[in-house]
Amino acid sequence: MYPLLGRCISRRSPCACVAVASPPDRRAVKDDSALAAAPAPGPTPAPAGRNGQLAKQGSLTIVRRSSGRARGRPPPGDEALDEVDMATDSLPPVDTPDACDKAALRLRCLLRQLEKGQVAAEVLQQNLMYATRVLEAVFIDETKDAGGCSAEADSPSASPHSRRAAAAGASAAASSSAAAPVQRRRLRTPVWARRLADDDDELSEVQPDAVPHEVREWLASTFTRQLATTRRSTDEKPKFRTVAHAIRAGIFVDRIYRRVNSSALMSFPPEVVKVLKTLDDWSFDIFGLSEAAQQQPVKFLGYDLINRYGIIHKFKVPPATLEAFLSRVEEGYCRYRNPYHNNLHAADVSHAVHYMLCQTGLMNWLTDLEIFATLVAALIHDFEHTGTTNNFHVMSGTDTALLYNDRAVLENHHVSAAFRLMRDDDCNILQSLTRDEFREFRALVIDTVLATDMSFHFQQLKTMRGLLSLAEPTVDKSKALSLVLHCCDIAHPAKRWELHQRWTALLLEEFFRQGDRERDLGLPFSPLCDRNNTLVAESQIGFIEFIVEPSLAVCSDMMETVLGPIMAGCKTDSAAGSIAEEGGPPVEHQTRRYTIKKPWSACLAENKRIWKEQAAKDAEARAQQQQQAEEATATTAEE
Ligand code: CMP
Ligand code: MG
Ligand code: ZN
């Protein structure tokens, strides 16, 4: 078993995200990531209840979390640091993500040289100056984006001159490593301007003969309903402005000083470490992970993710508490032995959320607390799922339906039961959050998990399209993250065929078991639940065309919209995405649009193609059966 040697994902390097879980013999790393994962040997964890959660003793003491940093130094014997060239003349521009990594490495080298008493004053001065400018660029650059300067450039009435000046300012600043950039950036063309049919995937727009009747019924009963709960006002969320950027710069410095305390971290079997190396792939083999992890994918994946994003350290989550929490979550998922809604699905959705955070660059838009909440929301989003739908709970009048008044019955249970679990001292991963942090975390988890209720689907998409259609879209974090989680929850049809096919078979088996119970209870079959009368291929085509594709399209637009200004400094193709020239006007007038990679598009097309072939074969087989039945009837009549 390997202790998890954490290599944090650097949020200032969205274009070059690194993976984790290195065995202990890989100590000679040349970047700073290996120093940045373990919990700091900081103050003793505070007792549960400090953030306002009712602890067993009922304490409500508010104690702000200490901001004390680990006073770590580079690990002794890390000779790799001695090999770094400390010249400053060929460093990348200060406002590029690469600069952050370079500056961090330089600072670590300086620390090591200072420790050995070897540093030349000039080298010290030049490198500190570079690091200072990198920090300033992080701050000034993004603050400017959020401020009024882009509004002028983006305004339809802005003169060609001012638009050109804004664009030129951006590119000049990006290519200069001298002063901190004072730049004016243009926002890209709003998404709505390129979308012709904004509402064309509303169920009401689906032509009656475009899908079989059963599939239409199922779509109607599952994916529509009036929004029942009052959502928090968008204005209540703190804006992503100066404070967030200042904090980000602080975290950057913080990570430089951290060091690994691997002994405190959970051990990972080598097979799990091996599988986790491909975690950044869209079609990651979650079934393979489950096998390697001896059917504990939530425990290992959950731990790895929370560690990767530096959450263990940042929010002082005791590793043993995290392990206990994840194990209990895993148990909860296995309680009803569901074919589909089990620990594997939780891990699968969490993986997809990780992809969205890391591989699109979305994490750069979020605070650490929001990342923490998003990961936990994904991990618990179907906690203690009963293997039956909300419809079944309502129709059969279960206690849970009674408790939640038939509204988002399962989703309310998932989130409520998970917070109940986190109230246990051994599982309280939130014990070091301040009261304010706890409230924000809780609100975000509740919002995002409740929004996985499929009956909110069309409403959710419509609301997001509406937001994106504004001249200056300001996307609410909670709504954005809800959409991301919802998309990840229905993403298996957008993964490679082998995975999608397996998930579909598991889901249908779960639906059919519900159908068996409905028959026994004398209830009508829920859509897709009658094992003798379900058009599998057709239902999947309908699900892909009317639900999954439109969801991922809106989600992609949303991410490109919010990330455009943030990723403007990222000039080349990268793991996260790229800035591409849009067609149309001459080069100096073109908008540079940030586009994320969409590995799901090809999978969706391929899966749809296969289902269509399957549907044609099924239809042929049904026609043949019908003909045989008619012939048999005719023969009997003749006799
Ligand atoms: P849940 O995971 O709770 O939330 C998303 C829902 O989408 C899921 O439950 C299923 O009810 C539904 N879903 C996911 N995949 C499919 C699919 N391939 N076909 C039909 N429904 C699906
Ligand atoms: Mg669910
Ligand atoms: Zn789910």
Side-chain angles (χ1 to χ4, degrees):
M1 301 280 266
Y2 296 139
L4 183 76
L5 228 188
R7 302 187 68 192
C8 274
I9 293 174
S10 162
R11 289 167 60 206
R12 272 135 307 282
S13 304
C15 306
C17 303
V18 286
V20 275
S22 321
D25 50 331
R26 292 182 54 203
R27 280 187 60 242
V29 286
K30 288 201 178 187
D31 62 17
D32 66 339
S33 49
L35 303 180
T44 315
R50 64 192 303 177
N51 53 32
Q53 290 187 87
L54 266 185
K56 292 232 167 86
Q57 320 86 303
S59 155
L60 278 170
T61 321
I62 307 167
V63 182
R64 283 198 68 82
R65 190 166 47 82
S66 158
S67 61
R69 311 261 186 248
R71 303 285 187 265
R73 284 170 299 182
D78 191 351
E79 270 75 42
L81 286 176
D82 293 336
E83 291 165 29
V84 174
D85 176 6
M86 297 296 280
T88 47
D89 45 6
S90 59
L91 284 166
V94 293
D95 58 348
T96 58
D98 195 23
C100 293
D101 287 340
K102 288 277 187 312
L105 184 62
R106 297 305 177 93
L107 288 173
R108 286 183 45 234
C109 291
L110 288 176
L111 281 175
R112 181 168 166 80
Q113 290 178 6
L114 281 169
E115 200 174 46
K116 291 160 71 180
Q118 285 178 350
V119 65
E122 197 184 351
V123 170
L124 178 65
Q125 195 178 16
Q126 282 170 351
N127 281 281
L128 283 179
M129 181 54 74
Y130 179 76
T132 307
R133 287 207 297 256
V134 170
L135 283 175
E136 282 171 346
V138 170
F139 179 81
I140 294 167
D141 174 18
E142 293 175 354
T143 306
K144 281 258 177 228
D145 277 344
C149 70
S150 57
E152 188 204 341
D154 197 42
S155 145
S157 61
S159 70
H161 173 76
S162 64
R163 283 167 184 269
R164 220 181 2 256
S171 70
S175 61
S176 157
S177 63
V182 178
Q183 59 192 45
R184 301 157 76 91
R185 289 208 170 116
R186 292 181 59 185
L187 292 177
R188 66 187 187 76
T189 309
V191 173
W192 59 268
R194 289 183 301 278
R195 288 187 75 87
L196 292 173
D198 195 37
D199 279 331
D200 59 359
D201 48 4
E202 287 281 2
L203 189 60
S204 58
E205 300 291 318
V206 176
Q207 294 300 310
D209 54 354
V211 288
H213 175 72
E214 296 90 320
V215 175
R216 200 184 153 75
E217 288 262 284
W218 159 64
L219 290 172
S221 66
T222 311
F223 303 104
T224 60
R225 199 177 67 186
Q226 281 297 314
L227 193 66
T229 38
T230 316
R231 309 300 299 269
R232 187 157 37 76
S233 148
T234 58
D235 297 340
E236 287 172 35
K237 291 292 289 178
K239 293 268 187 293
F240 181 65
R241 291 276 188 274
T242 326
V243 175
H245 297 305
I247 291 169
R248 185 179 292 173
I251 296 164
F252 167 50
V253 174
D254 184 27
R255 286 190 180 152
I256 296 167
Y257 285 97
R258 266 183 257 153
R259 63 183 305 186
V260 169
N261 176 8
S262 58
S263 61
L265 296 174
M266 191 172 91
S267 291
F268 276 54
E271 310 83 61
V272 174
V273 172
K274 190 167 165 222
V275 182
L276 284 174
K277 284 191 175 137
T278 55
L279 192 67
D280 291 347
D281 297 350
W282 170 246
S283 280
F284 172 71
D285 182 9
I286 198 77
F287 296 97
L289 173 68
S290 185
E291 213 172 289
Q294 304 195 318
Q295 280 66 52
Q296 290 183 293
V298 165
K299 179 171 142 186
F300 288 103
L301 182 84
Y303 196 102
D304 183 28
L305 287 180
I306 289 192
N307 186 50
R308 265 184 205 226
Y309 288 88
I311 302 296
I312 293 183
H313 168 83
K314 176 77 192 176
F315 296 105
K316 300 191 169 34
V317 184
T321 309
L322 178 60
E323 189 177 343
F325 167 73
L326 291 168
S327 297
R328 294 276 294 279
V329 169
E330 190 121 47
E331 275 168 36
Y333 272 107
C334 298
R335 179 170 298 175
Y336 296 93
R337 300 176 188 280
N338 307 322
Y340 179 88
H341 284 107
N342 51 36
N343 53 339
L344 200 56
H345 171 63
D348 189 44
V349 173
S350 305
H351 160 265
V353 164
H354 159 66
Y355 183 92
M356 296 297 190
L357 289 175
C358 175
Q359 296 297 303
T360 66
L362 189 63
M363 63 183 172
N364 296 288
W365 186 57
L366 303 172
T367 64
D368 286 323
L369 190 69
E370 287 158 350
I371 292 177
F372 189 15
T374 305
L375 292 174
V376 170
L379 287 163
I380 60 102
H381 85 279
D382 274 332
F383 182 52
E384 296 183 346
H385 198 291
T386 51
T388 49
T389 59
N390 280 339
N391 187 52
F392 181 86
H393 278 273
V394 173
M395 296 302 283
S396 62
T398 61
D399 283 350
T400 324
L402 206 62
L403 182 63
Y404 296 116
N405 300 313
D406 298 349
R407 306 277 164 84
V409 175
L410 281 162
E411 293 72 20
N412 268 304
H413 176 78
H414 305 319
V415 74
S416 168
F419 272 102
R420 197 175 290 280
L421 174 62
M422 284 186 268
R423 233 170 34 164
D424 277 7
D425 285 350
D426 339 342
C427 296
N428 189 356
I429 56 171
L430 311 176
Q431 60 188 249
S432 294
L433 266 58
T434 63
R435 176 188 280 252
D436 285 349
E437 285 171 337
F438 175 74
R439 302 279 3 136
E440 190 185 335
F441 177 99
R442 180 166 158 78
L444 199 52
V445 173
I446 292 174
D447 277 1
T448 51
V449 175
L450 288 186
T452 60
D453 177 351
M454 293 301 280
S455 66
F456 298 151
H457 168 82
F458 284 115
Q459 180 68 49
Q460 203 179 353
L461 257 58
K462 201 172 175 180
T463 307
M464 184 53 73
R465 281 204 197 92
L467 277 172
L468 295 175
S469 73
L470 299 175
E472 286 183 45
T474 311
V475 181
D476 173 68
K477 295 264 189 79
S478 171
K479 285 200 170 58
L481 293 171
S482 296
L483 181 59
V484 168
L485 181 58
H486 171 50
C487 285
C488 293
D489 200 14
I490 53 171
H492 71 85
K495 307 265 179 77
R496 68 184 151 86
W497 170 253
E498 293 71 30
L499 298 173
H500 168 48
Q501 186 188 31
R502 232 170 134 172
W503 283 122
T504 305
L506 292 167
L507 180 64
L508 286 168
E509 178 51 27
E510 190 169 303
F511 282 165
F512 294 158
R513 287 185 193 180
Q514 174 175 319
D516 296 344
R517 288 174 69 183
E518 287 170 333
R519 193 191 44 225
D520 294 347
L521 290 167
L523 292 170
F525 284 118
S526 293
L528 305 193
C529 290
D530 180 355
R531 61 172 77 240
N532 300 313
N533 267 311
T534 290
L535 301 171
V536 175
E538 279 89 343
S539 73
Q540 292 311 294
I541 296 164
F543 188 62
I544 291 175
E545 284 185 346
F546 300 117
I547 307 296
V548 185
E549 278 179 346
S551 303
L552 283 167
V554 176
C555 193
S556 305
D557 281 348
M558 182 273 290
M559 290 193 282
E560 289 172 355
T561 301
V562 301
L563 293 174
I566 294 173
M567 306 296 270
C570 196
K571 301 193 79 183
T572 51
D573 269 14
S574 66
S578 59
I579 307 283
E581 300 288 356
E582 292 192 326
V587 172
E588 70 269 27
H589 293 291
Q590 282 178 352
T591 305
R592 292 172 69 81
R593 173 182 162 81
Y594 176 69
T595 49
I596 57 169
K597 288 187 179 165
K598 302 177 186 77
W600 46 83
S601 302
C603 297
L604 284 166
E606 173 67 358
N607 293 342
K608 218 160 49 167
R609 186 190 65 74
I610 297 173
W611 283 125
K612 281 186 175 164
E613 273 178 21
Q614 181 74 44
K617 278 190 207 150
D618 290 351
E620 208 172 297
R622 279 196 303 274
Q624 261 180 14
Q625 263 182 356
Q626 171 124 14
Q627 197 181 345
Q628 280 167 3
E630 280 167 11
E631 283 170 6
T633 317
T635 314
T636 318
E638 277 171 23
E639 286 168 5

